[in-house]
Structure formats: structure tokens, C-alpha cells
């Protein structure tokens, strides 16, 4: 088995490999003692009931775009129906982001590449390394830098070691450079509303770190923003696992959780707990705000033990 195949198995087994751990066994016995959606779940509308490990939602040009890791596809939803935009076997996409040129960037976690595609679903260009030759190992999330470029996280394998997660920058000129390394499974990434601070979730460390964004787009002053088990009452034997993140109009940070809790965590600009939102599926790793600000779109997984990992995409009302 090649290195790439080993890495793919690590990704695909992220949920399944937990099945034998004490927490999951206890969850299976206790049922809703661990996952107990509340009133918020009643406001959830299912817009894709047959998604295959959906992730990375983003709103663009009147449509919701998202990926299916388990289906190797980029999808769109026009308010009525979902449709396949692009597919590539072996990609294992984790996020999609419009690039402002009528095209999109897709992180292919399984094939260790960043792919540029057209809005018509044509593969335009594939990147596997930075300009200095550093491999993109497990590309995961993307966020615009506000200047025509993008920050991209690379996670590395879903293992406790080695710690090889990083943050790369994809410039408007198409050049890729590494800005940060030594992150413990770098996952979700978000830029503060003022563009001065970049936030990155370290899934295996159970925390969010932040960086100061320099004038040239580089990153400095890495520090811890919030450790999830210090702000949430809910916990698991293996710790809380942050995934995707988005800021609301007030500057509060919404954090998707990759735990069997069916919740999204909301903290303020200082990292203080505000509330949680319930999701009618056990895993709620990614989210994006509707342009109206009245809803969030959540990509969620129902069955993490069996490929293609069925899940749903929700439109959930906000109070």
C-alpha cells in the first residue's frame, strides 16, 4: 500500500476508527444521552437528504455550493434542487471556494492536491506543491484573504503523529507558499471581519489558534484563541474536535464540531462561550451563513462507519 493509500484510509477512517473507543461504545448504549438535539433542530430544513459526507459549504451567485467527500463531487443547490457540478474519482474533496474569475478552487484531501475548476465543471489546473516544492498533504479548508488570494489548510494524516499540519497561501498570481507549519491537524480556517487575524482549528489539539495577518499576507504571532473543553460543558472521552468555522455579522465565531454531539459552538470575539446550536445529525463539521443572515447551511454526517458516509445538508434558522 502506498503512502497516499495509507493517508486515504486515515481520512476515511476518521469516524469509523473511533467505533471501538470507549466513548462511542458508551454513546451507542446511552443513545441520546450524548447526542440530544433541542429546539433549534425543529427549525432545520433538509435541502439534500442523500449527501455523501458533505463538507465545505459556500454561497455564491445565488447558489449554495458544497462538496461530497464520500462521493468525490462538487455540488450546487439552487433553492430547489441539488446538482453535480464536478466529479473526480480519488479526489476526496473537503472544501470548495469561488475564486472571483468564474472558477472555483477545490481541496482534494485524498489526492493531496488543490484543483482549479470552471463553473461548468471542467478541470483547469492541479497543484500538488508550493512554489518552493513543499507537498500539499491533505488539503482541507479554504478562505479568501480579501485581496484576491486564499488561505488553505493542509491537515496531514488523521493520526496523533507526526504533527505536520500547515497553512498555505494561494496568491492571485497562482503561486502557493507555506505560511505556517507544526499544526496538529489544521482544519477549518477563517479570516476575521477586519482582515487582521486568521483563525485555524487544530482538530487533534481540540483548540482554535490565531495569527496576525501582516501587510504582505504572511502570518505572525501564533497564539491560542480558545480551547473547546474549557468553554463547553459537553465533553467526550477523546476531547472536543473543532472543524469548520465562520464569523457572523457581529464578529462571533461559529465552530462546527466533529464529535457525536450534533452541535455547533458559538463564541464571541474574546473566545467566551455564547451558546450552542443543535443539528439533527450527530456530526456537524461545516457551516456557512445565508446572505440574509437569518439562516446557516450546515453539512452533517449521519453514519461515519460505512462508506460513502451518508449525511444531510441543512438550512437552519437563527434566532
Amino acid at each position: 500500500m502506498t503512502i497516499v493509500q495509507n493517508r486515504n484510509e486515515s481520512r476515511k477512517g476518521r469516524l469509523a476508527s473511533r467505533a471501538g473507543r470507549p466513548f462511542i461504545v458508551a454513546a451507542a448504549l446511552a443513545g441520546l444521552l450524548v447526542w440530544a438535539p433541542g429546539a433549534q433542530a425543529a427549525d432545520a430544513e433538509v435541502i439534500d437528504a442523500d449527501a455523501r459526507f458533505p463538507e465545505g459549504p459556500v454561497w455564491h451567485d445565488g447558489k449554495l455550493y458544497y462538496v461530497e467527500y464520500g462521493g468525490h463531487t462538487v455540488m450546487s443547490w439552487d433553492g430547489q434542487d441539488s446538482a453535480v457540478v464536478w466529479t473526480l474519482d480519488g479526489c476526496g474533496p473537503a472544501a470548495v471556494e469561488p475564486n472571483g474569475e468564474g472558477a472555483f478552487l477545490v481541496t482534494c484531501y485524498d489526492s493531496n492536491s488543490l484543483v482549479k475548476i470552471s463553473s461548468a465543471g471542467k478541470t483547469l489546473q492541479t497543484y500538488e506543491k508550493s512554489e518552493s516544492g513543499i507537498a500539499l498533504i491533505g488539503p482541507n479548508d479554504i478562505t479568501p484573504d480579501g485581496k484576491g488570494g486564499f488561505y488553505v489548510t493542509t491537515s496531514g494524516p488523521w493520526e496523533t503523529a507526526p504533527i505536520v499540519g500547515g497553512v498555505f497561501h494561494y496568491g492571485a498570481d497562482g503561486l502557493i507558499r507555506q505560511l505556517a507549519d507544526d499544526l496538529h491537524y489544521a482544519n477549518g480556517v477563517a479570516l476575521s471581519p477586519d482582515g487582521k487575524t486568521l483563525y485555524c482549528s487544530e482538530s487533534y489539539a481540540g483548540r482554535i489558534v490565531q495569527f496576525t495577518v501582516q501587510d504582505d499576507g504572511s502570518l505572525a504571532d501564533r497564539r491560542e484563541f480558545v480551547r473547546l473543553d474549557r468553554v463547553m460543558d459537553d465533553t467526550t472521552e477523546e476531547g472536543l474536535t473543532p472543524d469548520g468555522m465562520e464569523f457572523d455579522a457581529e464578529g462571533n465565531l461559529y465552530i462546527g464540531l466533529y464529535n457525536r454531539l450534533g452541535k455547533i459552538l458559538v463564541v464571541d470575539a474574546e473566545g467566551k462561550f455564547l451558546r450552542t446550536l443543535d443539528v439533527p445529525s450527530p456530526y456537524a463539521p461545516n457551516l456557512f451563513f445565508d446572505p440574509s443572515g437569518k439562516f446557516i447551511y450546515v453539512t452533517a454526517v449521519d453514519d461515519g462507519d460505512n462508506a460513502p458516509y451518508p449525511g444531510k445538508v441543512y438550512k437552519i434558522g437563527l434566532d
Side-chain angles (χ1 to χ4, degrees):
M1 182 176 288
T2 66
I3 293 176
V4 171
Q5 286 174 325
N6 274 313
R7 186 172 299 119
N8 293 352
E9 287 302 316
S10 294
R11 168 69 174 189
K12 293 177 181 178
R14 281 169 59 176
L15 293 175
S17 65
R18 299 182 182 188
R21 297 186 182 182
F23 165 66
I24 298 301
V25 173
L29 295 175
L32 295 182
L33 288 178
V34 174
W35 170 44
Q40 287 287 338
D43 300 325
E45 172 191 352
V46 178
I47 63 175
D48 186 345
D50 191 29
R52 297 164 292 179
F53 206 135
E55 291 200 272
V58 63
W59 186 268
H60 175 67
D61 199 21
K63 293 182 180 180
L64 181 73
Y65 290 83
Y66 56 98
V67 302
E68 291 182 302
Y69 170 79
H72 304 283
T73 60
V74 172
M75 305 289 293
S76 69
W77 177 73
D78 62 5
Q80 298 293 328
D81 300 300
S82 293
V84 175
V85 175
W86 176 81
T87 185
L88 178 65
D89 288 345
C91 166
V96 58
E97 185 73 32
N99 77 341
E101 302 174 354
F104 296 84
L105 292 176
V106 182
T107 53
C108 286
Y109 183 100
D110 282 357
S111 61
N112 302 307
S113 59
L114 182 66
V115 180
K116 183 179 179 181
I117 67 172
S118 71
S119 57
K122 180 180 178 181
T123 299
L124 301 176
Q125 194 164 358
T126 300
Y127 306 87
E128 297 179 342
K129 298 179 179 179
S130 71
E131 59 179 314
S132 62
I134 301 173
L136 304 177
I137 303 176
N140 201 321
D141 201 13
I142 316 172
T143 196
D145 67 0
K147 300 177 181 179
F150 302 86
Y151 292 104
V152 181
T153 56
T154 57
S155 301
W158 182 250
E159 304 290 343
T160 56
I163 300 175
V164 295
V167 178
F168 288 75
H169 184 261
Y170 174 94
D173 54 5
L175 295 179
I176 300 175
R177 56 185 176 135
Q178 187 178 47
L179 303 182
D181 59 9
D182 196 33
L183 291 162
H184 209 174
Y185 202 87
N187 200 332
V189 63
L191 189 65
S192 63
D194 63 7
K196 296 180 179 180
T197 308
L198 188 74
Y199 294 75
C200 178
S201 63
E202 286 186 287
S203 291
Y204 236 119
R207 66 178 182 175
I208 310 297
V209 295
Q210 57 184 184
F211 301 85
T212 298
V213 178
Q214 309 280 42
D215 291 341
D216 64 354
S218 61
L219 305 177
D221 189 24
R222 171 179 167 177
R223 66 267 186 196
E224 183 176 281
F225 170 63
V226 65
R227 189 174 293 276
L228 270 61
D229 59 8
R230 294 176 184 170
V231 298
M232 278 189 70
D233 291 333
D234 301 85
T235 188
T236 72
E237 192 166 306
E238 60 197 19
L240 292 163
T241 307
D243 203 308
M245 301 178 291
E246 292 291 336
F247 282 97
D248 68 10
E250 286 72 42
N252 301 315
L253 186 62
Y254 285 59
I255 305 168
L257 298 180
Y258 200 73
N259 297 95
R260 198 182 291 250
L261 296 172
K263 293 182 183 295
I264 291 168
L265 169 64
V266 187
V267 298
D268 67 13
E270 304 301 320
K272 296 179 181 178
F273 175 85
L274 293 179
R275 61 173 174 161
T276 58
L277 300 178
D278 291 332
V279 177
S281 290
Y283 300 91
N286 295 116
L287 66 138
F288 198 82
F289 283 88
D290 181 81
S292 69
K294 297 180 180 179
F295 306 92
I296 56 171
Y297 297 100
V298 178
T299 52
V301 177
D302 292 317
D303 182 358
D305 298 332
N306 301 289
Y309 316 107
K312 298 180 179 68
V313 180
Y314 295 99
K315 181 179 181 180
I316 300 179
L318 297 173
D319 290 336

